[in-house]
């Protein structure tokens, strides 16, 4: 059953369609609420049971006890002024016709279309603001570090700095790295507050894409400007044309993917090092019974970077020993985890839905958080154990937590102070400790540069071999499987089922965020996982020595996927725009507004993007049709929604096959044995 049957088509078959719609709602609910498994991860299940036995409330328990509001879920509620909240839900019973539904308006006259589109734009704005604020903070620290105003941070990737300087037209000459970095940082900093013109990295997109954006007038002017304008447009009584609202949604999202997120990734790489393949482990079993366990959770990497440095300091290790601990065990949670995993091989304790459960082990001395995806529930859980919940950023304070403001100007000292607080807490660890004996090996750190190098080799680094393997059919296509966990669906279940199905069908999977951790837990991020892949993909993985599922970083690093896709276009043979590539984006367990911003910048960049779990505009057929169908005619990419992972896999594969056909490489799959000859033929063209 598909989303398109959600609405009644005409008055005549209204009753029948109503049945279909109701049963789809039931199907989604069934998948979500009566999910056979709350989680497929044994460590998670063990800790949910421990929490329940100890009377500790977690997100899993709250999800079982509170249903989502059905009106809000479909995007049919508006609270943008004090005459509301107004509700314009789809018909809930057979007596009400769709026509009557169309007559339902907010007090100001706002239609279901306007209300759904305004809500959607606000989500994009919130996501873009989050990545933008992350990027702004990185840029500030980058400039201050280059000016020598803060200790502990230095330029780690000189080559990337010089490349970026060349790209931006910053003079290199015989200037120092620091002088160059100041100019690079200050130039990119202007993108946040720019009022007119175009964002710097827009020029990185394929030429055809840039022209399309200019023609559509969706090129972002400034990151903050687009977010502010989104808030203005969605204020009561402002933009009330859903197409106009969604066009600004496209522009705002591009200010994320090709703006805030891309700036953050580039400057983090220069400052902390561009990720290269690193071996590590994932899941709650990385916590240690006889060491001081510190879990660093959130998104911006500087606190984590400093803790990584401080944890190796002999003075700190000695201090831990003086308290009876065998060492300091630093582990990560959510995207901060991805950042320090990729750059230092620091193990991951878990993904989004495991944050409370890490504390439930009773073995965590401190959970140190920065910004984003940090559940308020942590404070209450921490209260039930000895764990200190430490907030470090003025933008994320939590009642009941200890606030230790991280001061970048005294970064090393700040890091040590936080660590000392954790070590001091070691002696308070109670008897009630249980660390699940579950952890899995993984390889992470496949940055765009690494893929370039691994597939192309040192002397001819390029995407040519990837393109060739797609053209000859060994690799059917590429799927970016990204995003969160969502307590309304089986934890990790949707990601893992989907990804296994994709690699079995020769789809190379690139992952970021909590999705990457889900698949890592099930052993898909090691080269040996090639055995789960189809014959073609397996042969490529074995030849190059890579896993069939590549960990590309944190969610902010979805911008790396844009760069990788652009490189594939530029290398030739797969069309002249991102929308020509046999590639799809999926966020099957999404929950965060950042995911919507990311999804929209994928779509606006020409990518077919499928979300699972739930969809926030189903209350309006027009808006949803626009996103799911019409957008393709405008941007070359479109949205789709499907909660069932096997059906998502089918949709991904069908789309890839359609793109292959359009490129004229669909026959290549059958002719895989003749690929040398085919290559020669291709060479003649
Ligand atoms: Ni992305 Fe990463 Fe995870 Fe979702 Fe949250 S941690 S930024 S938003 S939940 S993937
Ligand atoms: Fe209701 Fe309109 Fe106010 Fe929204 S803006 S709450 S629809 S009156």
């Amino acid at each position: 059953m598909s989303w398109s049957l959600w609405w009644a088509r005409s008055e005549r078959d209204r009753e029948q369609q109503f049945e279909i719609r109701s049963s789809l709602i039931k199907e989604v609910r069934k998948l979500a609420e009566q999910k056979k498994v709350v989680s497929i991860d044994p460590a998670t299940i063990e800790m949910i049971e421990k929490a329940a036995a100890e009377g500790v409330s977690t997100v899993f328990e709250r999800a079982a006890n509170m249903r989502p509001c059905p009106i809000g879920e479909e995007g049919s509620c508006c609270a943008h002024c004090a005459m509301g909240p107004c509700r314009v839900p789809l018909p809930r019973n057979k007596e009400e016709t769709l026509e009557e539904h169309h007559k339902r308006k907010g007090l100001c006259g706002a239609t279901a279309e306007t209300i759904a589109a305004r809500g959607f734009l606000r989500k994009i704005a919130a996501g873009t603001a989050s990545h933008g604020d992350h990027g702004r903070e990185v840029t500030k620290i980058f400039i201050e570090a280059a000016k020598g105003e803060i200790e502990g941070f230095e330029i780690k990737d000189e080559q990337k700095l010089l490349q970026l300087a060349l790209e931006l037209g910053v003079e290199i000459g015989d200037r120092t790295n620091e002088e160059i970095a100041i100019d690079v940082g200050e130039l990119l900093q202007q993108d946040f507050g720019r009022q007119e013109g175009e964002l710097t990295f827009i020029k990185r997109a394929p030429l055809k894409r840039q022209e399309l954006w200019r023609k559509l007038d969706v090129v972002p002017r400034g990151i903050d400007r687009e977010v502010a304008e989104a808030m203005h447009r969605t204020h009561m009584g402002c933009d009330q044309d859903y197409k106009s609202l969604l066009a600004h949604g496209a522009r705002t999202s591009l200010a994320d993917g090709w703006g805030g997120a891309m700036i953050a990734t580039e400057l983090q790489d220069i400052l902390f090092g561009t990720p290269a393949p690193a071996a590590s482990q994932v899941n709650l079993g990385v916590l240690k019974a006889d060491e001081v366990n510190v879990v660093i959770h959130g998104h911006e990497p500087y606190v984590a970077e400093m803790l990584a440095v401080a944890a190796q300091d002999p003075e700190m290790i000695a201090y831990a020993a003086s308290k009876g601990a065998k060492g300091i065990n630093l582990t990560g949670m959510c995207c901060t985890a991805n950042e320090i995993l990729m750059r230092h091989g620091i193990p991951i304790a878990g993904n989004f839905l495991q944050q409370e459960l890490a504390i439930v082990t009773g073995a965590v001395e401190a959970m140190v958080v920065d910004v984003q995806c940090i559940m308020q529930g942590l404070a209450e859980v921490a209260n039930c154990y000895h764990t200190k919940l430490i907030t470090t950023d003025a933008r994320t304070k939590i009642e009941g937590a200890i606030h230790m403001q991280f001061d970048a100007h005294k970064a090393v000292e700040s890091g040590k102070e936080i660590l000392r607080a954790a070590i001091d807490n070691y002696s308070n660890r109670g008897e009630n400790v249980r660390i699940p004996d579950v952890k899995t090996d993984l390889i992470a750190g496949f940055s765009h540069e690494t893929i370039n190098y691994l597939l192309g080799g040192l002397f001819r680094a390029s995407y040519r071999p990837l393109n060739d393997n797609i053209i000859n059919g060994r690799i059917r296509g590429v799927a970016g499987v990204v995003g969160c966990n969502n307590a309304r669906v089986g934890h990790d279940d949707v990601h893992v089922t989907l990804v296994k199905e994709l690699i079995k069908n020769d789809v190379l999977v690139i992952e970021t965020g909590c999705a990457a951790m889900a698949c890592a837990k099930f052993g898909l991020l090691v080269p040996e996982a090639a055995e789960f892949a189809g014959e073609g993909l397996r042969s490529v993985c074995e030849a190059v020595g890579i896993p069939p599922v590549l960990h590309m970083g944190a969610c902010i690093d979805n911008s790396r996927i844009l760069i990788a896709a652009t490189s594939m276009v530029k290398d030739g043979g797969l069309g002249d725009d991102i929308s020509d590539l046999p590639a799809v984006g999926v966020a099957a367990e999404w929950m965060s507004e950042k995911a919507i911003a990311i999804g929209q910048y994928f779509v606006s960049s020409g990518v077919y993007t499928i979300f699972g779990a739930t969809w926030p505009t189903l209350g309006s057929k027009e808006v949803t049709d626009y996103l799911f169908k019409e957008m393709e005619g405008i941007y070359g990419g479109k949205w789709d929604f499907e909660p069932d992972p096997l059906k998502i896999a089918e949709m991904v594969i069908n789309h890839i096959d359609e793109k292959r056909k359009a490129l004229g490489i669909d026959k290549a799959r059958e002719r895989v044995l003749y690929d040398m000859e085919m290559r020669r033929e291709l060479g003649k063209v």
Side-chain angles (χ1 to χ4, degrees), residues 131 299 334-335 352 372-373 483-485 513-514 555 591-592 594:
H131 290 144
H299 285 78
C334 285
C335 279
F352 176 69
Q372 300 169 17
C373 300
C484 326
N485 291 143
C514 292
C555 280
M591 65 87 203
S592 132
K594 290 178 289 176

Side-chain angles (χ1 to χ4, degrees), residues 44-61 356-357 359-361 381 384-385 432 434:
T44 296
I45 292 167
E46 192 181 334
M47 286 304 105
I48 292 173
E49 284 166 1
K50 182 173 189 278
E54 288 162 5
V56 177
S57 168
T58 66
V59 58
F60 293 96
E61 177 247 351
E356 293 165 322
L357 304 180
I359 298 178
V360 171
T361 62
V381 181
C384 300
Y385 300 89
N432 184 18
R434 194 159 93 224

Side-chain angles (χ1 to χ4, degrees), residues 296-374:
I296 167 95
H297 168 25
H299 285 78
E300 296 181 0
Y302 4 93
V303 182
E305 283 286 331
M306 273 308 114
L307 287 184
V309 172
Q312 284 158 15
D313 189 320
E315 176 201 329
M316 284 292 123
I317 296 170
Y319 189 55
S322 77
K323 302 283 175 180
K326 287 231 170 81
I328 304 164
N329 183 34
L330 187 62
T331 62
M333 178 74 62
C334 285
C335 279
T336 288
N338 282 325
E339 301 279 3
I340 49 176
L341 162 74
M342 290 190 299
R343 299 198 175 91
H344 303 285
I346 289 171
I348 300 181
N351 51 6
F352 176 69
L353 283 180
Q354 290 179 284
Q355 51 186 288
E356 293 165 322
L357 304 180
I359 298 178
V360 171
T361 62
V364 173
E365 273 59 55
M367 180 168 277
V368 184
V369 303
D370 51 73
V371 293
Q372 300 169 17
C373 300
I374 297 148

Side-chain angles (χ1 to χ4, degrees), residues 8-25:
R9 283 274 147 81
S10 67
E11 215 32 47
R12 204 158 22 90
D13 57 7
R14 180 175 62 79
E15 287 220 349
Q16 186 206 350
Q17 295 286 350
F18 180 82
E19 292 299 336
I20 294 171
R21 191 185 138 263
S22 318
S23 65
L24 180 55
I25 290 179

Side-chain angles (χ1 to χ4, degrees), residues 77-88 105-111 115 118 234-237 240:
C77 172
C78 175
H80 293 200
C81 88
M83 296 194 290
C86 299
R87 301 170 307 271
V88 289
K105 306 268 162 58
L107 259 64
C108 64
T111 60
I115 289 175
R118 278 199 302 223
T234 53
H235 183 275
M236 191 271 156
Q240 284 148 120

Side-chain angles (χ1 to χ4, degrees), residues 124-190:
I124 295 172
T128 303
S130 304
H131 290 144
D133 216 30
H134 176 162
R136 180 200 337 278
E137 201 62 24
V138 172
T139 312
K140 179 172 166 275
I141 289 185
F142 182 87
I143 295 169
E144 288 175 351
K147 286 183 175 167
E149 291 171 7
I150 55 178
E151 53 165 33
F153 296 120
E154 58 195 32
I155 309 289
K156 287 248 176 67
D157 191 336
E158 183 187 30
Q159 200 190 343
K160 189 150 181 169
L161 170 70
L162 297 181
Q163 262 168 10
L164 188 56
L166 266 178
E167 183 186 336
L168 301 181
V170 168
E171 189 200 329
I172 296 176
D174 49 9
R175 301 166 83 210
T176 64
N177 282 348
E178 286 67 31
E179 285 168 339
I180 297 167
I182 294 168
D183 282 2
V184 165
E186 287 180 347
L187 214 135
L188 290 174
Q189 198 174 37
Q190 291 172 17

